[in-house]
Amino acid sequence: MELKNYAMSRTRGYLSHYEIDEITLPPVWAPIVEAAGNLSALLTTGRVRHWLEQLPEPDIADWAREAPEEEVRTAMVHMSFLVQAYVWGEADAPACLPANLARPMVAISDRLGQAPLLPYSGYVLDNWYRLDKSGPITLDNIAMHQNFLGGDDENWFVLIHVAIEAEAGVLLDNAAKLVTVSKDKNTAEATRLLTEMDEAWERIYAVFGRMTERCDPYIYFHRVRPYIHGWANNPALDGGLIYEGVEALGGKPQALRGQTGSQSSIVPAMDALFQVGHSDDPLKSFLDELHHYRPVEHRRFIEDLARHSTLRDFVAGSGDPALKAAFNACLEQSARFRTRHLEYAASYINKQAGSIAGNDPDVGTGGTPFMKYLKKHRDENRAQTV
């Protein structure tokens, strides 16, 4: 396995190989790009739907089939933000998404093999750029390109994820190498790769720990989170959202999962490499469903890791204490990461939602209860040492 075969790299991991500020969409997209760039102002008027309904529908059928992937992914960022703003930008959610938004949204999502709403890839992986193009992908040198309301808290929340994804490139590259190294039974190289992964996890954890510096839990819950919900298991949408004018959907409501950090492919890739299993529960079913919301190449990477990894059996049968220690250290890092996620879920969502009448504090943006099962998955992860 090699990362280049999955449109990934050691320096960027799952992040886009291009930067969104360098991509120019063709003129047919101009009204969409202008509205997306002005989205904060449109939302502030309190009647964002009025403005978005005035947009001309871009004639993109041929373009969506033939355009370079970088352009299609960039269009996905802008369109999916407009779709989310249309649905959640006013007090009451609509039953339908108008055809001028629905048809182009479905056209580009079909091309990418993803669902027609904001995905993690559109929110994070493709929605960043470096301020200094000669500098690294670090928090002091990256910016969020497309916003909802904008501001420190929204930017920081996304950029923390971008910086984590950049650091995770080492994990993914070493994971691919460990597939071969395990089959070759190269104990020394496997130990080296796992030790390097443990060090990368420390960097990731340090970035994750900075979330509270500039993203306040109250602001996150009330000003950032509302726009990233999906259409599944949401009492504001009875059965989902209708995409007007999209013949293939037959006028039926679509119950789609919302953008969530659980769509990140880092931890699932580590579970696949380390052959970590989880017993059946609502969160496992939810995460299995979310797998299909990921970019196609990222899905294939996880699936190939799961299919080809023999790392656990190799380590268990090696009898080498240093290799076992390195393996278990990386396994503990995944559990530690899950613990921090659990802590943030408690402070940024559970605690905030609990103060609002009628809110279920355990339901995430993806539309599933999470607190109980995050703990369970963390404990299952930690229990599978060798």
Side-chain angles (χ1 to χ4, degrees):
M1 291 180 64
E2 293 185 44
L3 290 194
K4 66 181 182 181
N5 295 328
Y6 303 90
M8 294 158 53
S9 70
R10 184 178 181 87
T11 55
R12 297 196 175 194
Y14 293 116
L15 293 174
S16 55
H17 63 270
Y18 59 92
E19 294 177 35
I20 192 169
D21 66 325
E22 299 172 332
I23 305 299
T24 300
L25 294 180
V28 68
W29 282 102
I32 298 290
V33 172
E34 182 180 1
N38 203 30
L39 190 53
S40 174
L42 300 182
L43 284 164
T44 303
T45 67
R47 52 180 192 144
V48 65
R49 289 176 199 147
H50 165 79
W51 304 112
L52 296 183
E53 286 164 359
Q54 313 306 311
L55 290 173
E57 179 183 340
D59 181 6
I60 61 160
D62 292 339
W63 176 89
R65 287 190 298 269
E66 301 164 3
E69 184 177 309
E70 295 87 347
E71 289 187 12
V72 182
R73 286 164 64 178
T74 296
M76 180 70 156
V77 172
H78 296 312
M79 273 303 308
S80 59
F81 268 72
L82 294 185
V83 166
Q84 299 291 138
Y86 187 90
V87 175
W88 302 122
E90 297 183 27
D92 297 318
C96 303
L97 185 68
N100 68 320
L101 298 178
R103 283 196 285 248
M105 184 74 240
V106 170
I108 57 179
S109 64
D110 282 352
R111 159 69 187 275
L112 296 174
Q114 293 181 269
L117 79 171
L118 177 65
Y120 179 81
S121 55
Y123 196 47
V124 174
L125 301 178
D126 301 341
N127 189 25
W128 64 278
Y129 62 95
R130 286 175 298 167
L131 296 164
D132 174 1
K133 298 300 184 188
S134 65
I137 305 172
T138 50
L139 284 168
D140 61 355
N141 191 42
I142 51 176
M144 182 180 181
H145 185 70
Q146 174 69 63
N147 300 86
F148 288 109
L149 292 177
D152 248 13
D153 303 86
E154 183 181 350
N155 289 338
W156 193 250
F157 177 73
V158 169
L159 295 175
I160 286 286
H161 287 80
V162 172
I164 286 172
E165 294 286 350
E167 293 287 3
V170 172
L171 300 183
L172 307 175
D173 191 37
N174 285 19
K177 292 173 180 174
L178 279 163
V179 170
T180 300
V181 169
S182 299
K183 289 177 180 174
D184 293 344
K185 306 220 181 301
N186 188 334
T187 301
E189 181 63 3
T191 303
R192 186 191 73 79
L193 290 169
L194 287 165
T195 301
E196 203 170 61
M197 291 171 76
D198 186 32
E199 293 166 354
W201 269 118
E202 287 296 323
R203 295 191 296 273
I204 288 169
Y205 200 72
V207 172
F208 204 18
R210 295 186 62 188
M211 180 68 80
T212 57
E213 285 182 19
R214 302 180 76 166
C215 183
D216 177 83
Y218 179 90
I219 298 297
Y220 167 76
F221 188 82
H222 293 279
R223 292 287 182 267
V224 178
R225 186 174 184 260
Y227 301 105
I228 61 177
H229 284 278
W231 335 138
N233 293 0
N234 197 310
L237 287 165
D238 185 17
L241 184 71
I242 295 171
Y243 286 67
E244 288 185 341
V246 181
E247 292 182 11
L249 299 180
K252 298 177 182 178
Q254 303 299 303
L256 301 172
R257 298 292 186 181
Q259 192 290 132
T260 164
S262 296
Q263 286 180 24
S264 171
S265 299
I266 298 170
V267 170
M270 294 301 100
D271 280 356
L273 173 69
F274 289 91
Q275 297 164 278
V276 170
H278 298 286
S279 59
D280 287 339
D281 60 50
L283 182 58
K284 182 180 185 299
S285 298
F286 168 69
L287 295 175
D288 289 345
E289 185 182 344
L290 281 191
H291 182 63
H292 300 286
Y293 286 71
R294 297 187 171 100
V296 173
E297 297 289 7
H298 301 173
R299 278 180 246 164
R300 192 165 61 85
F301 180 71
I302 294 168
E303 290 162 6
D304 285 354
L305 273 179
R307 186 178 301 114
H308 298 299
S309 177
T310 58
L311 179 61
R312 173 178 290 276
D313 293 339
F314 165 52
V315 172
S318 71
D320 187 288
L323 178 58
K324 287 186 177 181
F327 178 95
N328 288 335
C330 286
L331 202 66
E332 173 59 27
Q333 290 283 22
S334 291
R336 185 185 182 200
F337 189 79
R338 283 182 156 111
T339 298
R340 177 52 62 89
H341 182 202
L342 180 63
E343 292 167 353
Y344 283 155
S347 61
Y348 279 78
I349 301 173
N350 192 266
K351 182 179 178 181
Q352 305 302 319
S355 64
I356 301 173
N359 250 325
D360 185 343
D362 285 343
V363 174
T365 52
T368 191
F370 60 88
M371 290 297 291
K372 172 183 176 181
Y373 299 109
L374 281 176
K375 295 174 185 175
K376 175 177 174 288
H377 283 223
R378 185 269 316 276
D379 294 343
E380 287 175 338
N381 183 160
R382 185 165 274 152
Q384 296 179 56
T385 54
V386 297

